[in-house]
Amino acid sequence: MRSINLTENDCTFVHYVLRMYAKTTPNLDSEDREEIYEVASKFK
């Protein structure tokens, strides 16, 4: 698997985009949202 280096700004962007995706995507249940939030928290 390839690894890339992200800047602090990149991480902040990914964090907020994932959270926005979880909030605005219809048909996600609460479990799906929680999993997305967990992934997003790794970028903060």
Side-chain angles (χ1 to χ4, degrees):
M1 182 155 123
R2 193 171 140 217
S3 176
I4 62 171
N5 294 322
L6 299 176
T7 66
E8 187 175 337
N9 287 338
D10 293 337
C11 290
T12 301
F13 176 77
V14 171
H15 173 80
Y16 284 107
V17 168
L18 285 173
R19 289 182 57 85
M20 183 185 301
Y21 174 79
K23 288 180 185 177
T24 60
T25 303
N27 301 326
L28 290 178
D29 61 19
S30 59
E31 263 186 45
D32 293 334
R33 283 187 173 86
E34 275 302 312
E35 288 180 21
I36 294 169
Y37 290 149
E38 285 179 27
V39 172
S41 71
K42 294 179 182 180
F43 288 94
K44 187 75 173 158

